[in-house]
Amino acid sequence: MTGTELFPPPVAVLSRFQATGLLQAWAAGRLASETSLDLGLSRREVRLDADGIHADGRRLIDWPQLQAIAASENGCFRVADGAVEEIRGFSQASQRPLRLFPTAEAPGLLIAGFTMHRFKDISPRRAALEMVRAAAPVRGRVLDTATGLGYTAMAAARGALEVVTIELDPGVEEMARANPWSQELFRHPAIRRLRGDSSEEIGRFADGFFSVIIHDPPSMSLAGDLYGESFYRQAWRVLGGRGRMFHYIGDPHSAMGARVSKGVVNRLRAAGFQRIVPKPAAFGVLACK
């Protein structure tokens, strides 16, 4: 089943952030309000009355439905044809449930209840921008080893000649298709999407093929191969002269982050990287060839 069939174009995608604002506007006696119908990506005016929220001359959602959305801490909801459905799925690849979770800006991805993004004091999209900045200048061909919701690939595509982004899980791709903030991932001419395991796919590229790698793997418990010396040797091989790889590790001030970082740095050096530069703002290191 294609992403289009799973997630038909919705009238709106809402979370508690939009729902709470609309409920407050109605409680204040307003008959119109500016809001977002795409999780904060854009804004428009909607009409309010006793029946609920109206957009484009028809009722979008009633008040009990909106109250249910406002009460959900971790859900994003598709609203279409008077029905409300949480955006969630199940990964056949990992046998884990998937869902979009809301932030004040772009949403993140939850897999089995665990977040795949930084979101404390930063949005997932802005965290991706920090990783791309840490690898700057991002030009030529770029490898993004874990597509996720596509924020890193989209940010890198602003300056790169080509971004090759790899995603293992078809279910994660469906979450991206349902996310209003991810649509450029499927349209940008510089982005080439591959399905597969990055630890295997990287071996298919020629020596020196990439200028930059942005490596944002899942946790070591979920994807240990992507933290191994063998993978790092392949990364060194596919980078051209003066190539560099930003490697997301995690909060450098946490006990876990410090332990993982030490092992990562040692294995990167063993793989041939000459200089390892801490990038604490991006929660990782820059490994330079």
Side-chain angles (χ1 to χ4, degrees):
M1 186 175 287
T2 68
T4 302
E5 291 167 332
L6 281 174
F7 297 113
V11 174
V13 181
L14 305 174
S15 75
R16 60 185 172 88
F17 291 98
Q18 294 79 46
T20 299
L22 289 166
L23 289 165
Q24 291 172 343
W26 179 241
R30 293 165 59 185
L31 299 180
S33 179
E34 186 180 80
T35 189
S36 175
L37 301 182
D38 52 12
L39 296 181
L41 184 61
S42 65
R43 297 187 67 80
R44 58 166 296 176
E45 188 174 271
V46 296
R47 186 168 61 84
L48 318 179
D49 67 16
D51 291 330
I53 309 301
H54 297 256
D56 300 324
R58 59 176 172 161
R59 189 177 72 179
L60 173 65
I61 187 172
D62 64 31
W63 294 113
Q65 290 171 319
L66 202 66
Q67 288 167 340
I69 292 175
S72 174
E73 287 289 318
N74 292 320
C76 296
F77 296 83
R78 183 185 309 103
V79 180
D81 298 325
V84 176
E85 179 185 9
E86 185 177 356
I87 297 173
R88 60 191 308 165
F90 187 80
S91 167
Q92 295 296 332
S94 66
Q95 295 295 297
R96 294 181 172 93
L98 308 167
R99 69 196 300 186
L100 291 183
F101 78 94
T103 76
E105 199 215 36
L109 177 67
L110 288 178
I111 300 182
F114 295 97
T115 176
M116 297 294 107
H117 306 269
R118 289 175 61 191
F119 64 95
K120 184 179 180 181
D121 301 323
I122 193 170
S123 76
R125 185 187 69 87
R126 292 185 182 278
L129 288 173
E130 287 291 343
M131 291 192 290
V132 173
R133 289 191 188 104
V138 176
R139 299 175 186 147
R141 289 195 187 96
V142 176
L143 175 62
D144 169 34
T145 61
T147 307
L149 295 179
Y151 299 143
T152 301
M154 292 185 292
R158 295 178 182 179
L161 175 67
E162 181 184 39
V163 178
V164 177
T165 183
I166 304 172
E167 177 55 56
L168 172 65
D169 195 332
V172 171
E173 183 178 301
E174 298 303 340
M175 292 295 103
R177 289 188 182 278
N179 177 20
W181 289 81
S182 298
Q183 298 314 297
E184 187 182 353
L185 174 67
F186 305 99
R187 299 194 298 255
H188 199 295
I191 296 176
R192 176 156 60 106
R193 295 179 292 108
L194 298 180
R195 176 79 56 75
D197 185 333
S198 288
S199 65
E200 299 173 359
E201 294 298 321
I202 196 169
R204 304 181 191 279
F205 296 102
D207 294 0
F209 190 77
F210 294 104
S211 301
V212 175
I213 298 173
I214 301 174
H215 186 42
D216 178 20
S219 67
M220 189 178 289
S221 62
L222 292 176
D225 288 350
L226 296 180
Y227 292 80
E229 185 179 327
S230 176
F231 176 81
Y232 297 159
R233 287 187 180 279
Q234 287 285 4
W236 187 93
R237 180 186 65 79
V238 301
L239 282 170
R242 298 188 178 181
R244 57 209 175 278
M245 175 172 71
F246 172 79
H247 190 325
Y248 178 87
I249 297 171
D251 185 353
H253 302 298
S254 71
M256 178 62 74
R259 286 197 299 272
V260 173
S261 181
K262 182 177 180 180
V264 163
V265 168
N266 288 338
R267 290 189 294 276
L268 286 169
R269 288 191 174 124
F273 287 96
Q274 298 297 307
R275 189 164 58 98
I276 315 296
V277 183
K279 294 289 182 176
F283 280 23
V285 297
L286 184 67
C288 304
K289 190 167 180 178

